Amino acid sequence: MKITLKDGVVKEFDNAVSVYDIARSISEGLARNACAGIVNGETKDLRFIVENDAEVNICTFDDEVGKEAFRHTASHVMAQAIKRLYPETKLAIGPSIADGFYYDFDREKPFSPEELEEIEKEMKKIAKEDLALERFELPRAEAIKLMEDRQEPYKVELINDLPEDAVISFYEQGEFIDLCAGPHLLSTKVIKAIKLTSVAGAYWRGNEKNKMLSRIYGTAYTKTSDLEAYLTMMEEAKKRDHRKLGKELKLFALLEEGPGFPFFLPKGMVLKNTLLEYWREIHKEAGYVEVSTPIILSKELWETSGHWDHYKDNMYTTVIDEHDFCVKPMNCPGGMLVYKQDMHSYRDLPMRVGEIGLVHRHEKSGALHGLMRVRCFNQDDAHIFMTEEQITSEISGVISLIDSVYKLFGFKYHIELSTRPEDSMGSDEAWELATNGLRDALEENNIPYTVNEGDGAFYGPKIDFHLEDSIGRTWQCGTIQLDMQMPERFELEYTAANGSKKRPIMIHRVCFGSIERFIGILIEHYAGQFPTWLSPVQVKVLPISEKFADYANKVSDELDKAGIRVETDHRAEKIGYKIREARNERIPYIIVVGEKDEAANKVSLRSRANGEEGQIDLKDVIERIQQEIKTRVSNVNTGVSVE
RNA sequence: GCUGCUAUGGCUCAGUAGGUAGAGCGUCGCCUUGGUAAGGCGGAGGUCACGGGUUCAAAUCCCGUUAGCAGCUCCA
């Protein structure tokens, strides 16, 4: 029997072997670290017996599949601990997730933090007991009986809902048995570096009509040091939470008077306008023009676009002179009307029309979250009208534009292609053409991507950009959508070379997505330490005492004239105190002026990056800062934030 | 929207068993005029989110509303 390994090496075996044995034949170390295997493309247990020639890939914690098996086993260990401590608890489901695992339980009281600690202790005990996990399968009737005997009604329901031909498997460790497809580790022994992180409510099977269960979240790693690094990262994330920093740095405010409608304060407004300035600059270079369409438009328009049918529950409406109007949740219908203001020739295409559009969407109260999820926000939208032949090159152009934006901020990113959802409009042919257009552009540019089946917009497929911030979290921001439905519904036309009327194809696209949300992401990405070009205040001038107020004013006037955003702290405080405060405000440059500086006609510079830099000519400081602003240097601080 | 938790001066938070409020920071005033992460003293500032109820008495107990937090669901 021939087993082909992931690096192409072929191993010969006389008899059927388990995945674990294959791992051991490679090395003891691999066997020790193995969590699961992939046999002919299917995820399998280490216990799985390979009987014929096969391709086998051994997965450790470093592989997604291995990590899932590891954490799934951790969730079983947690369930076992809970059944030991609180036997009346009913088990629901417990999978692994991105950063760890959870398990849902049905219990009278929610779990308290003290109980979490008890559970954690019991889990560590179970690990020490080194219980072997055994897999077994049962026919449906016996499976149901087993779970009925163990008084697990949720498991009985799950089994009843399994398809006729499903294999019903269980995993057993010590006295604990759980319905589970696997895979799982061989023993509880390695589940040591664990932490239960939180308790929350969650509906049985995710349906809000069902009973609310208690969900315990936890995480597990192979090494204590990795667990600690993760917990430190979580702490760091909490420290740079944009809601906290937004308040501290006086960027924006969220008030009870406007739930989900953020107020931008003067400093936040500088940030926003600076981003928009940049946006306008690069779009002008890329051949875009800019328009602005109204916030309130007639209901009929939204019926034409299809938005009313699909999203009326999330749209704000109003009545003007007895006519129904809607507050726009998207800019595209307005963009359609702009296109129709004129006749278009094929020579005019592609037409790239940008719009910073303020949209409103009625989000459920529980969905609101700082600037990340709001009820009104600005989209950095653009609609590109083009011919079929132009699809690939236009998509490529947008991809490279978005790429340059993310690079500027130091974001890594990956791309997902989302295909036709169930609830959608348009013909199969149109969808195929559009989906292929996106795919071709990605492939022509050699851009790796994953496919997200059925996650497209109702009017077309899309490419989504998921960017990764400085502490490893991902955010979906940019998107490129190809749309053949809106031009049809709005009867857009252009005159082709032969004089016939043709339908243009359109792209909807955003780089930032929501500007508000992008600002939220930037706050967390930079931990409030914005690069100089973005900093609301770029220099703070601190006179040593009131005697040097005039000199400080002179210095700050020169900075101001040089186009640098400057503030001067004239309070009668000690210099150490003023520095401390300016640092907490994350200001990139601090200028200290006192007797020595005035005498030498220089300034003492302190930069956020290098600390104290000594006495220096103001002219040199200005040049350096101007250069940083001009080139938009964006050095990301991944270290621990101030305070 | 659902479940749970929370709401006290501008900010961060104390307030134990119901007896009409405290601290630190900030702010203001005075002293200090100080060279790289908090100088000292003093003052002002709160109908304890809002509306009901229980009680001789409610920041504290109960009900409702609003907003926030965590999670679920949703996110064109």
Side-chain angles (χ1 to χ4, degrees), chain A residues 598-611:
Chain A
E598 185 165 12
N601 198 26
K602 292 191 175 202
V603 296
S604 292
L605 185 68
R606 183 185 181 110
S607 70
R608 192 176 59 195
N610 308 324

Side-chain angles (χ1 to χ4, degrees), chain A residues 420 424-431 458-459 484-485 488-489:
Chain A
R420 183 171 193 170
S424 60
M425 60 191 200
S427 67
D428 291 350
E429 295 76 45
W431 274 87
F458 72 84
Y459 47 74
M484 308 176 74
Q485 310 310 321
E488 188 68 34
R489 291 199 158 215

Side-chain angles (χ1 to χ4, degrees), chain A residues 339-340 342-351 384-391 433 484 487-488 490-506:
Chain A
Y339 181 90
K340 292 184 78 159
D342 214 340
M343 295 285 288
H344 298 284
S345 150
Y346 70 98
R347 294 179 212 272
D348 301 335
L349 305 184
M351 259 179 73
I384 301 175
F385 304 92
M386 61 194 178
T387 67
E388 203 178 309
E389 296 72 44
Q390 291 166 334
I391 293 179
L433 183 83
M484 308 176 74
E488 188 68 34
F490 283 90
E491 300 176 324
L492 303 191
E493 288 181 337
Y494 67 91
T495 309
N498 64 8
S500 66
K501 297 287 182 203
K502 293 194 82 175
R503 273 278 175 268
I505 293 172
M506 76 180 288

